[in-house]
Amino acid sequence: MDFIFRPGAVEQAKLKSAQQGAPVYMYMFAWESPVMDGILRSTHCMEIPFVFNNVVRHASMTGGGKAAQVLADKMSSAWLNFARTGNPNTEGLPEWELIQLIREQR
């Protein structure tokens, strides 16, 4: 679990949601790279080759294997859908829920 970047990202998502503008979604990338016997785990920015579906080109970080390609196909599809429609939901993935603040009734 990320204790460095994630808390700030969660806070940013809450603030953006409170503006009640465009829908807000979050993701947590937890791919554990097989490179160097798994020592890299899921380093900062490791998701970028998956988002752009070029895990083979960056096999020195991703491992470039079949599992990496399957994940890249799913991730790039979600990101493309988000770019086109503002909604990352796509076939083959669990439903993405909106980040919404629970507002107290006064």
Side-chain angles (χ1 to χ4, degrees):
M1 196 58 113
D2 179 4
F3 297 106
I4 297 171
F5 297 102
R6 189 155 176 82
V10 170
E11 183 61 25
Q12 183 181 19
K14 289 178 182 179
L15 291 170
K16 192 65 179 165
S17 176
Q19 293 176 344
Q20 298 181 332
V24 178
Y25 296 92
M26 287 192 74
Y27 71 96
M28 182 174 67
F29 187 74
W31 168 261
E32 295 205 8
S33 174
V35 173
M36 297 178 357
D37 294 324
I39 198 168
L40 296 176
R41 301 187 70 193
S42 186
T43 64
H44 181 62
C45 295
M46 177 69 83
E47 78 277 13
I48 294 173
F50 292 85
V51 168
F52 290 101
N53 207 346
N54 57 13
V55 293
V56 173
R57 176 175 284 187
H58 298 283
S60 64
M61 295 293 288
T62 67
K66 183 176 180 172
Q69 188 59 60
V70 168
L71 181 57
D73 290 342
K74 291 178 181 180
M75 282 189 64
S76 63
S77 178
W79 279 73
L80 281 170
N81 207 40
F82 181 72
R84 289 180 182 139
T85 69
N87 184 328
N89 285 296
T90 187
E91 195 172 315
L93 290 176
E95 184 76 14
W96 288 55
E97 294 183 20
L98 288 169
I99 301 296
Q100 297 180 356
L101 292 177
I102 300 172
R103 292 172 175 75
E104 295 178 338
Q105 298 294 327
R106 294 183 188 200

